[in-house]
Amino acid sequence: MSRPPSITGRLTNSLALVGGIGAVLLLIVIGIEYRISFSNLSNHDALVQALHELSEHVLLPMAVLILPMALAGRWAIKSGVKPLIAAARQIDARANETRGVRVDITHFPVEARPFAEAINRVLGRVDHAAALHEAFAADIAHELRTPLTLLSLELDRLDYPEAERMRGDVAQMRRLIDQLMLLAQVDADRTAHVPPARLDLGDIAAEVIAQLAPIALDQERRLALEGDVPLLIHGRREAIAAALRNLIENALRVTPPHGTVTVRTAPSEGGGEVLLAVRDEGPGLAPDELLALVERHRRADHASRDGAGLGLAIVERIMRAHGGRLSASPETHEIVLHFPAAPASG
């Protein structure tokens, strides 16, 4: 496999070639200046004298200058491509961002600006295409909600064995549509750079548990909340509540009857994060299984049937939007949301 071309290597070779040609031309000019020719150097003493003169007054000064000139040339080349390397690092540092990534050309050399501007135009077109795709998905989801609501009302009037199953299918479709709309909202908030609010994870957990408590009781399960210390983060309340709802619904499904699903809030040991964990009484989930499940449409025991396999993928997307992460602890049967802790207000 051939090595990729190098700007530094090419410029170094070009400078070396220019320097070599210059040295040869200099020797020719010196030869002409001193009228040295092959006929005049036929005498051995004359040849020795000429070589001595060239060595002392030409070759030795050139040799002394070659090393510092080579180092200075290489430094100049590296300085010239340094803005390109800095731009690459800047883009890598924003790898988790899906929108608004651009190359900062403020310190770019004039010759490299057309290339960087072309990249920015391509990134702008990608952002525009993604925005159109998300808007289309949100519009479709919104338009489908009304006919599904009407269909649910019609099914409620029917009284035959298949009606219950059909009502369940319609409920799953509505759940999927709600999930798609939530994803579109999260991406729209990130794109619009909507400022996050200062939130208490304990309040969000208590609110979601209150909403899901009737469902848990109907399924003969219990919900519990641990942690009463205020844990503040910056985020979007609806998105975080939706992520927690997804985890609790999955936990209720894998927990046996009369079992308990526990929601726990706590600071991390290092103090830089705050944790929101959901503990079930199911078989537990290994980290590598969680990594596979966050890919969309992958299913397993913890994948939400009502969400058509999107549950954990949506939770992971919400966490990335908040600068956090998702982890699993099979020993404690927990799935944990890690949020950056909000700085203390002054």
Side-chain angles (χ1 to χ4, degrees):
M1 183 177 178
S2 59
R3 295 180 59 185
S6 168
I7 296 178
T8 301
R10 287 183 174 182
L11 290 177
T12 301
N13 294 336
S14 299
L15 287 177
L17 179 61
V18 171
I21 294 175
V24 172
L25 292 177
L26 178 61
L27 291 176
I28 293 175
V29 170
I30 291 175
I32 295 174
E33 180 70 19
Y34 285 93
R35 294 179 173 80
I36 299 174
S37 64
F38 290 105
S39 59
N40 294 332
L41 297 179
S42 58
N43 183 279
H44 180 267
D45 292 338
L47 177 61
V48 171
Q49 181 65 26
L51 292 176
H52 177 74
E53 290 288 333
L54 287 174
S55 301
E56 183 176 353
H57 299 291
V58 179
L59 298 180
L60 182 59
M62 288 178 60
V64 172
L65 291 175
I66 283 177
L67 181 59
M69 289 179 63
L71 294 176
R74 192 165 185 83
W75 172 84
I77 293 170
K78 286 186 174 296
S79 298
V81 300
K82 191 174 181 180
L84 302 177
I85 299 174
R89 290 174 178 169
Q90 176 191 9
I91 295 176
D92 285 340
R94 301 177 63 183
N96 290 331
E97 300 183 29
T98 57
R99 295 288 192 83
V101 178
R102 296 291 185 275
V103 178
D104 183 5
I105 64 173
T106 305
H107 302 291
F108 260 48
V110 175
E111 295 81 3
R113 287 200 173 197
F115 176 72
E117 290 170 350
I119 291 178
N120 284 339
R121 287 193 293 270
V122 171
L123 291 174
R125 289 194 291 269
V126 171
D127 282 355
H128 180 65
L132 291 177
H133 175 76
E134 290 169 3
F136 175 76
D139 290 342
I140 291 297
H142 180 74
E143 293 298 327
L144 286 174
R145 296 183 77 176
T146 299
L148 284 177
T149 300
L150 296 176
L151 181 58
S152 297
L153 294 175
E154 291 296 326
L155 290 174
D156 289 339
R157 300 176 183 177
L158 300 179
D159 185 16
Y160 66 97
E162 293 296 320
E164 185 64 29
R165 181 186 61 81
M166 294 174 67
R167 281 193 289 268
D169 292 341
V170 172
Q172 290 183 16
M173 294 177 65
R174 292 189 63 180
R175 173 67 171 164
L176 173 59
I177 289 172
D178 290 340
Q179 300 279 38
L180 292 174
M181 293 190 69
L182 173 63
L183 274 179
Q185 182 62 44
V186 170
D187 290 336
D189 288 347
R190 292 182 66 189
T191 304
H193 302 289
V194 176
R198 193 175 178 87
L199 307 172
D200 182 1
L201 280 183
D203 289 345
I204 297 175
E207 177 183 321
V208 174
I209 287 176
Q211 293 172 354
L212 296 179
I215 298 176
L217 290 174
D218 186 59
Q219 298 176 0
E220 298 182 341
R221 277 103 170 154
R222 294 184 298 273
L223 294 178
L225 176 61
E226 294 180 357
D228 53 3
V229 178
L231 296 174
L232 301 179
I233 65 168
H234 284 124
R236 299 169 179 87
R237 190 180 191 90
E238 295 79 9
I240 296 171
L244 181 58
R245 253 192 318 270
N246 269 306
L247 295 184
I248 293 177
E249 289 171 353
N250 288 342
L252 287 172
R253 187 169 60 83
V254 300
T255 297
H258 309 294
T260 301
V261 172
T262 303
V263 179
R264 178 176 63 89
T265 61
S268 65
E269 294 182 359
E273 294 180 330
V274 292
L275 311 179
L276 179 59
V278 176
R279 182 169 64 245
D280 58 52
E281 296 183 5
L285 192 64
D288 56 342
E289 293 176 315
L290 176 65
L291 184 62
L293 289 174
V294 297
E295 299 177 11
R296 291 187 182 177
H297 309 302
R298 295 290 296 272
R299 303 183 57 83
D301 289 341
H302 279 71
S304 171
R305 291 176 182 172
D306 292 338
L310 285 173
L312 288 174
I314 290 175
V315 174
E316 194 269 342
R317 184 79 161 267
I318 291 172
M319 292 308 298
R320 281 195 287 115
H322 286 79
R325 59 189 176 92
L326 179 67
S327 70
S329 174
E331 296 82 9
T332 59
H333 297 257
E334 286 184 335
I335 294 182
V336 186
L337 307 180
H338 303 254
F339 292 91
S345 56

